[in-house]
Amino acid sequence: GENVEQHPSTLSVQEGDSAVIKCTYSDSASNYFPWYKQELGKRPQLIIDIRSNVGEKKDQRIAVTLNKTAKHFSLHITETQPEDSAVYFCAARGGTSYGKLTFGQGTILTVHP
Amino acid sequence: GAVVSQHPSRVICKSGTSVKIECRSLDFQATTMFWYRQFPKQSLMLMATSNEGSKATYEQGVEKDKFLINHASLTLSTLTVTSAHPEDSSFYICSARQGQVNTEAFFGQGTRLTVV
C-alpha cells in the first residue's frame, strides 16, 4: 500500500518568514495530493491540493509543488503569520481502493510574533 | 464546500459498554465514507472504508467485530465501538465523498471518545 513520509515533524519560524514542509510517497499510481491544516481538537481543513498532471499550484501565500519522478511534494507558506500556527498534514491518494487517503505524520508549525 | 456532521462531538463511556458515532453528509449524497482514528499528537490512521449498501473494507489490524460500521443510506454512516476499553480512547473522524474516486472528501468535526 501507499506510504507517506513527512518532514520536519516540528517547524518554528518568525513571523514573516517562509515555511516549507516536504513529503514523499511510495505508490507511483497516486494522483492526488492534498494538504490539511488541523488546529487542536478540530477537523482537518483542506488548504490546497494538487493533482498529478500539474507541477505547481499557488493560492495567495500558499503553494504546493509536485515532482512525480522523485515522488515528492512540498508545501510552501510565505509571509507566515501567527494564525498559521497549527499541525499540517500531507496526504496521497491512489486511483484504486475507493480513493482512500494516506496521511503523513504531520508537522507542528509554530510562527512566533 | 460540502458539510459533514459528526455526532456526538464528545462522549465518555464506561469500560465494557458500546458507543455509536454518527457521520452525516448534510447537503450531498456520500457514496463513500471513511473512518479515521487519531491518537494525541499523531496522524490520522484510516480504520475502514464504507460504501453505501455494502460491507465496509477494514484496514489491516483493525478488528471488524469491535468497530462495527454501517452505511445504510447515502447520507449516514455509523461507527460503533463495542466493548470499549480505555485504549480505545481517541479522536475518531469521518470523511465523506460524493461520487467518483477523484472528488474531494470532506471531514466531520470529529468525536472525542474517552473510556473510563
Side-chain angles (χ1 to χ4, degrees):
Chain A
E2 176 66 278
N3 182 50
V4 178
E5 296 288 332
Q6 182 172 345
H7 298 281
S9 56
T10 61
L11 180 58
S12 184
V13 300
Q14 289 296 127
E15 182 176 1
D17 287 350
S18 295
V20 180
I21 303 171
K22 299 182 179 182
C23 288
T24 60
Y25 62 99
S26 61
D27 186 356
S28 56
S30 289
N31 55 22
Y32 175 67
F33 308 92
W35 286 89
Y36 293 90
K37 175 183 180 182
Q38 187 181 31
E39 297 177 348
L40 190 63
K42 302 283 182 67
R43 78 184 85 193
Q45 297 278 5
L46 178 70
I47 57 171
I48 196 166
D49 56 13
I50 191 167
R51 299 187 187 276
S52 58
N53 59 345
V54 176
E56 185 174 357
K57 184 177 178 180
K58 188 173 181 181
D59 182 5
Q60 299 183 338
R61 297 186 297 110
I62 297 173
V64 56
T65 58
L66 171 65
N67 183 326
K68 283 193 302 181
T69 303
K71 289 189 283 189
H72 66 69
F73 55 113
S74 301
L75 176 71
H76 304 252
I77 305 175
T78 58
E79 301 172 30
T80 54
Q81 301 165 3
E83 49 266 38
D84 294 330
S85 296
V87 182
Y88 290 80
F89 292 98
C90 64
R93 184 172 75 193
T96 58
S97 300
Y98 302 107
K100 64 181 183 181
L101 287 173
T102 301
F103 284 83
Q105 296 87 343
T107 297
I108 301 172
L109 173 64
T110 304
V111 181
H112 299 281
Chain B
V3 179
V4 176
S5 178
Q6 196 171 331
H7 179 80
S9 57
R10 290 178 180 272
V11 58
I12 301 174
C13 72
K14 293 183 177 180
S15 275
T17 62
S18 296
V19 174
K20 180 184 284 188
I21 302 170
E22 293 186 348
C23 181
R24 293 181 184 272
S25 56
L26 297 186
D27 52 1
F28 68 100
Q29 293 184 326
T31 52
T32 304
M33 289 185 173
F34 303 90
W35 287 95
Y36 296 86
R37 180 167 52 184
Q38 185 177 32
F39 291 109
K41 298 185 179 180
Q42 293 190 24
S43 187
L44 286 82
M45 299 301 297
L46 181 66
M47 299 174 68
T49 302
S50 168
N51 286 286
E52 186 267 338
S54 62
K55 290 183 178 180
T57 302
Y58 289 81
E59 294 299 300
Q60 193 172 10
V62 178
E63 300 174 58
K64 60 181 179 181
D65 294 331
K66 180 171 180 62
F67 299 100
L68 302 178
I69 291 172
N70 185 287
H71 192 162
S73 78
L74 284 171
T75 59
L76 174 65
S77 177
T78 60
L79 167 67
T80 301
V81 183
T82 63
S83 188
H85 291 282
E87 55 265 33
D88 297 325
S89 299
S90 187
F91 193 52
Y92 292 86
I93 312 177
C94 69
S95 71
R97 190 185 68 222
Q98 177 186 25
Q100 300 300 316
V101 166
N102 59 354
T103 56
E104 182 182 347
F106 300 92
F107 284 90
Q109 63 267 54
T111 296
R112 173 72 60 194
L113 170 64
T114 303
V115 185
V116 298

